[in-house]
Amino acid sequence: MSTKTKDNNPAEAGSERRLNMIEAINEALDIKMTEDPDVIIMGEDVGYFGGVFRATAGLQEKHGKNRVFDTPISECGIIGAAVGMGAYGLRPVPEIQFADYIYPGLDQLISEAARLRYRSATDYIAPLTVRSPFGGGIFGGQTHSQSPEALFAHVAGLKTVIPSTPHDAKGLLIAAIEDNDPVIFFEPKRIYNAPFTGYYDKPVEPWKTHRDSVVPEGKYSIPLGKARIAQEGEALTVLVYGTMVHVAEAVCREKGIDAEIIDLRTIVPLDIEAIEASVEKTGKCLIVHEATRTAGFGAELSALVTERCFYHLEAPVERVTGFDTPYPHSLEWAYFPGPVRIGEAIDKLMSE
Amino acid sequence: MAKGPKDAATKGANKPALSLHVPEPTYRPGDAVDFAHIVVPDAGKQPRPDETCEAIETSDLCYDLVRVLGDDNKAHGPWDPKLDPDTLRTMLGHFAMVRAFDERMFRGQRQGKTSFYMKCTGEEATSISAAMALASDDMIFPSYRQQGILIARGYPLIEMINQIYSNKGDKLKGRQLPIMYSSREHSFFSISGNLATQTPQAVGWAMASAIKGDTRIAATWVGEGSTAEGDFHSACTFATVYNAPVILNVINNQWAISSFSGFAGAERTTFAARALGYGLAGLRVDGNDPLAVYAAEKWAADRARANAGPTLIEHFTYRAEGHSTSDDPSGYRSAQERDEWPLGDPVTRLKDHLIALGEWDEDRQAAMDLKCAEEVKAATKEAEKNGILGHGLHHPFRTMFQDVYENLPWHLEEQAAQAKREREIKWPGEEPWS
């Protein structure tokens, strides 16, 4: 069952230490590197410099060049080498600098990492965790804003994980590194430093005051495939992940809607029980993601909800997504599925 | 301002028209063949630098051809690995076995016992002789034409045949196309259909071995056609950047299905010469000379083990048969090529060498060929007890859903249940998972 657990409210755990998402990721990497000598970090600029987003800052100095190192600019080479390291017995954590640049590594991910266990009947496995910043809302234009999670959701053998809070980022990353299957770990870079509500014209609330930035020291993990009820409610179910969790929360708060917001956290394998339980309770379902609409992961969610909760639905499932265009630069806020688009969908659902 | 192709052409009217060069092989079906343009240097004339030399010191060797066995069937020069007769006979035995195996499996495909097969005829040395120069736990990242390595490493024939038949004895549970073997026990990596993907993986494995301070090295095999893949470039770059203990074997058998090696760039340079641009040591070897192949692989292995760096070896050879059972080479190349190939046949050359040494004779060869054929036949019969493709003796249906992930997620549980229902409808009363 994926009901509200103590993971959801770390403040109850007694610790009040707060981190932003970058610090939480860095801490997860440090903990796993310290604990497991087979964990290796590799990628462009991750070594001496500590990563363009600082996620690997200090790790090379602490764990040595043999375990944290820079790579040539070759995504195919990074993932391919990581598959070979996995076959040897290491547990590589390669970084792809932006999710927009993961495509040269796709053959290695889809044809190799995802299939290795199956095709070799467990002779060889690929226990990699590919970390990559993804998502828009940062004026990143076409090649620093994409959300390609649906491409990976379609690949049998891969797991795709997307945290939305510092607390979850640490626990999910530790679980991903320990997982024996290849995991795509997408980090919503818009919320690395602060949660983002989609109200780009209003001041940003820092992680410092957010309930989910309380990050316990030491090791804890959050199981892959389990959703988090970000907010309990009765009127409507919102299925969401990454940055859009915070946008959906803000819009529902603004509109005074008693929504149940489910942060999926892992899109494959999906927490279908949490989704069914919520939609059966509310009878209405809104799906929100930043990625383009057609054949996006929202289509899979919508199909599942329709197939499995049809007789509980009081209205057609609604999808709020990015438009089916490349991510534009100057028109970012017209593209981004922000409060107006989400608000309209909520109004439509609530009027049924 | 140029508005389009017409204007652009007018504007450049005083310049020669550009022309596109589309490579053409020298001989097409029906052509008489003359390989006089292939330079075959005398055996024994190539210098052998120290294994720990700077990569650039191998420059000349990248345009030469390392050869040991001369026309007199004797070993010559500094690359002579000086193998004892027993080792040579073992090598010849592996040659005979892989040839017998290829012959029977090809026939098995024609008889409908399996869907697909690929021979390695003419290229036996590039896998068997090379593998014999490595330690048994050095990690192999093969392409699909290195069955000789499994045979040289003692992988049971019956396991190979079970895999080819996709039967209930198949260790890969019938999931893989025939010949896509995998054996962790024999340090033989799972073969993938996607070309050249194994090359950066081999480099990564070698990097891992170096990270852990291990002593094992990695070796990968890739066809000359597949060197055009981006993965090969990544592999060469990573190998040199990290000084990875890896050997990159390029099997230049002149043909990538119907495309001659010119489409991988062979018209202007050698494949060995690519090493130089990356700062890798490079060797170009007579791939039909078992002693030269052994010596080159040993040189590269010693270099890797001494932390002196990776090596790219071009094995210059000829794909004597069709690409696969799905291919008919008479549609694109001269049937004469095989007979005219100036480097001969690796099996014949090794046999003649042993005979010249007084360590072998034609009678013993004939007896060995017969023994191999019988062994393969016996293994085939044994494997057939586990079933042949399409005759119902396969792994249980539920295994289709296993090993996608370490544990079965809910959606695969549901799909497995669906498959079970389908079986119950199709064969009522029978065990649905069998």
Side-chain angles (χ1 to χ4, degrees):
Chain A
M1 282 298 293
S2 48
T3 50
K4 194 161 181 171
T5 67
K6 66 178 179 182
D7 280 342
N8 284 329
N9 200 348
E12 286 171 9
S15 169
E16 282 299 320
R17 195 181 60 125
R18 290 171 182 276
L19 302 178
N20 67 30
M21 193 183 279
I22 285 286
E23 291 164 338
I25 287 165
N26 185 272
E27 193 166 278
L29 293 170
D30 187 29
I31 286 169
K32 281 311 298 173
M33 292 211 79
T34 304
E35 181 186 271
D36 182 352
D38 290 334
V39 173
I40 299 294
I41 291 173
M42 61 195 286
E44 296 156 20
D45 307 296
V46 305
Y48 180 85
F49 181 58
V52 295
F53 290 104
R54 317 306 303 146
T56 56
L59 297 178
Q60 187 183 69
E61 196 181 0
K62 182 169 174 188
H63 300 284
K65 282 200 300 185
N66 258 17
R67 297 187 57 206
V68 183
F69 51 86
D70 293 322
T71 62
I73 302 172
S74 167
E75 289 74 17
C76 148
I78 293 168
I79 308 287
V83 170
M85 290 176 178
Y88 179 92
L90 299 187
R91 204 167 274 278
V93 188
E95 177 184 300
I96 300 297
Q97 202 161 77
F98 288 86
D100 315 64
Y101 302 131
I102 205 165
Y103 310 131
L106 276 194
D107 191 32
Q108 286 288 346
L109 283 170
I110 296 174
S111 309
E112 302 294 320
R115 309 259 171 84
L116 190 53
R117 175 191 294 279
Y118 191 77
R119 79 171 194 229
S120 73
T122 73
D123 249 4
Y124 298 97
I125 62 169
L128 351 165
T129 301
V130 181
R131 290 182 42 247
S132 191
F134 96 128
I138 56 147
F139 280 105
Q142 294 191 21
T143 56
H144 296 80
S145 307
Q146 294 168 39
S147 299
E149 68 275 11
L151 294 176
F152 300 95
H154 191 57
V155 178
L158 294 180
K159 292 178 177 174
T160 301
V161 177
I162 303 168
S164 72
T165 68
H167 174 264
D168 282 5
K170 180 176 170 183
L172 288 167
L173 182 54
I174 287 173
I177 294 171
E178 291 179 346
D179 198 284
N180 287 327
D181 293 315
V183 178
I184 311 295
F185 193 85
F186 280 137
E187 300 164 2
K189 58 186 167 298
R190 182 63 181 84
I191 57 172
Y192 266 156
N193 293 306
F196 177 59
T197 59
Y199 292 90
Y200 59 90
D201 42 1
K202 292 182 185 169
V204 173
E205 178 205 18
W207 277 123
K208 291 274 175 259
T209 55
H210 195 285
R211 64 182 168 133
D212 295 325
S213 68
V214 176
V215 177
E217 291 198 50
K219 186 177 161 183
Y220 65 92
S221 66
I222 296 172
L224 306 187
K226 293 292 172 198
R228 170 181 74 105
I229 312 294
Q231 176 184 304
E232 287 187 42
E234 302 289 332
L236 152 82
T237 296
V238 184
L239 303 181
V240 65
Y241 47 88
T243 301
M244 302 314 291
V245 170
H246 305 281
V247 181
E249 275 178 351
V251 178
C252 290
R253 196 161 53 233
E254 193 90 347
K255 296 181 80 74
I257 300 290
D258 181 27
E260 179 143 295
I261 298 175
I262 301 186
D263 175 2
L264 297 174
R265 301 200 289 200
T266 303
I267 63 167
V268 178
L270 190 64
D271 189 346
I272 195 68
E273 288 178 13
I275 294 170
E276 285 175 356
S278 182
V279 176
E280 284 171 16
K281 176 174 69 171
T282 64
K284 293 178 178 180
C285 180
L286 170 67
I287 295 157
V288 185
H289 62 59
E290 230 183 300
T292 50
R293 185 176 185 85
T294 302
F297 192 67
E300 181 65 23
L301 288 170
S302 175
L304 285 168
V305 168
T306 307
E307 286 162 4
R308 304 171 86 95
C309 310
F310 185 77
Y311 295 105
H312 292 87
L313 286 174
E314 294 159 20
V317 175
E318 278 289 319
R319 275 187 290 163
V320 172
T321 69
F323 294 127
D324 282 336
T325 70
Y327 208 111
H329 187 242
S330 68
L331 300 178
E332 170 141 70
W333 302 120
Y335 173 92
F336 189 88
V340 173
R341 202 176 307 157
I342 295 172
E344 198 183 26
I346 290 176
D347 289 346
K348 193 175 163 196
L349 274 166
M350 297 314 291
S351 69
E352 298 277 347
Chain B
M1 285 293 285
K3 284 179 194 146
K6 196 170 175 235
D7 279 2
T10 312
K11 201 175 174 188
N14 60 340
K15 296 174 186 165
L18 297 171
S19 65
L20 181 72
H21 172 69
V22 180
E24 265 299 317
T26 321
Y27 312 106
R28 286 298 194 186
D31 288 344
V33 170
D34 179 2
F35 279 126
H37 61 282
I38 293 181
V39 179
V40 182
D42 287 340
K45 296 290 184 225
Q46 299 73 40
R48 185 184 182 284
D50 189 81
E51 289 91 337
T52 56
C53 71
E54 293 296 323
I56 198 157
E57 289 176 46
T58 63
S59 299
D60 289 347
L61 286 167
C62 290
Y63 299 97
D64 204 331
L65 202 60
V66 173
R67 303 184 76 229
V68 173
L69 281 177
D71 295 339
D72 57 359
N73 297 322
K74 289 181 180 151
H76 299 274
W79 286 92
D80 177 6
K82 300 197 181 345
L83 298 177
D84 61 74
D86 280 341
T87 305
L88 292 174
R89 276 188 291 262
T90 300
M91 193 185 286
L92 192 64
H94 295 326
F95 284 5
M97 183 57 85
V98 79
R99 205 153 266 198
F101 188 79
D102 275 1
E103 217 41 58
R104 184 142 196 120
M105 291 304 109
F106 189 92
R107 196 142 36 96
Q109 191 277 339
R110 289 295 189 252
Q111 292 167 338
K113 290 176 183 171
T114 188
S115 60
F116 184 75
Y117 191 70
M118 295 175 111
K119 290 178 160 185
C120 68
T121 312
E123 303 173 35
E124 290 87 349
T126 64
S127 56
I128 291 166
S129 307
M132 286 179 70
L134 300 173
S136 62
D137 58 352
D138 286 338
M139 186 68 190
I140 305 286
F141 286 81
S143 80
Y144 45 67
R145 224 183 285 282
Q146 279 78 49
Q147 56 264 53
I149 297 175
L150 280 175
I151 284 175
R153 286 195 166 180
Y155 190 64
L157 295 180
I158 187 169
E159 300 294 1
M160 293 175 80
I161 304 170
N162 284 339
Q163 198 282 324
I164 289 165
Y165 288 169
S166 277
N167 62 22
K168 71 182 171 69
D170 175 11
K171 290 200 163 163
L172 305 184
K173 304 186 179 178
R175 291 170 182 160
Q176 274 273 49
L177 195 67
I179 75 159
M180 303 282 183
Y181 314 103
S182 172
S183 177
R184 187 178 182 85
E185 208 187 325
H186 295 79
S187 299
F188 189 92
F189 190 66
S190 154
I191 297 173
S192 168
N194 297 65
L195 299 175
T197 50
Q198 75 276 15
T199 60
Q201 294 165 357
V203 176
W205 195 98
M207 289 169 68
S209 188
I211 286 166
K212 296 306 252 184
D214 199 341
T215 58
R216 290 176 293 165
I217 64 170
T220 185
W221 275 252
V222 66
E224 94 285 349
S226 307
T227 63
E229 293 283 4
D231 296 64
F232 183 71
H233 168 66
S234 298
C236 292
T237 304
F238 276 62
T240 200
V241 166
Y242 300 105
N243 204 45
V246 65
I247 306 170
L248 302 156
N249 292 289
V250 174
I251 308 304
N252 177 8
N253 66 11
Q254 317 301 320
W255 292 94
I257 308 186
S258 76
S259 301
F260 87 113
S261 57
F263 283 98
E267 286 184 324
R268 325 248 171 197
T269 187
T270 68
F271 293 97
R274 308 225 152 149
L276 302 173
Y278 292 101
L280 296 164
L283 300 174
R284 188 161 176 270
V285 179
D286 176 350
N288 290 18
D289 178 341
L291 299 185
V293 169
Y294 181 98
E297 199 77 14
K298 184 76 167 55
W299 186 93
D302 289 345
R303 178 178 179 80
R305 269 186 240 288
N307 278 313
T311 304
L312 188 161
I313 304 175
E314 174 186 352
H315 302 262
F316 194 71
T317 182
Y318 185 76
R319 195 194 77 209
E321 294 273 357
H323 167 71
S324 71
T325 48
S326 308
D327 178 46
D328 175 9
S330 72
Y332 50 80
R333 71 183 188 186
S334 172
Q336 243 194 306
E337 280 190 16
R338 177 178 178 168
D339 296 333
E340 297 295 326
W341 180 247
L343 300 177
D345 176 87
V347 181
T348 310
R349 285 175 72 185
L350 184 59
K351 181 193 74 176
D352 291 347
H353 174 54
L354 268 163
I355 291 172
L357 290 176
E359 296 285 348
W360 198 243
D361 56 57
E362 293 289 357
D363 287 347
R364 278 197 270 179
Q365 180 71 33
M368 184 170 76
D369 287 342
L370 188 66
K371 187 168 165 277
C372 288
E374 278 169 0
E375 257 183 69
V376 174
K377 191 177 171 185
T380 307
K381 291 236 177 296
E382 202 54 31
E384 283 178 13
K385 289 180 189 162
N386 295 324
I388 57 175
L389 184 68
H391 283 231
L393 284 175
H394 42 63
H395 273 267
F397 272 77
R398 64 173 169 276
T399 60
M400 172 163 56
F401 300 95
Q402 294 165 350
D403 306 331
V404 178
Y405 299 95
E406 186 172 32
N407 301 304
L408 215 60
W410 67 269
H411 61 283
L412 283 178
E413 294 269 17
E414 287 192 359
Q415 290 165 33
Q418 179 184 346
K420 190 178 177 190
R421 279 195 308 280
E422 289 173 10
R423 307 276 304 158
E424 283 163 348
I425 292 165
K426 226 169 153 183
W427 287 290
E430 287 183 29
E431 165 52 46
W433 275 136
S434 64

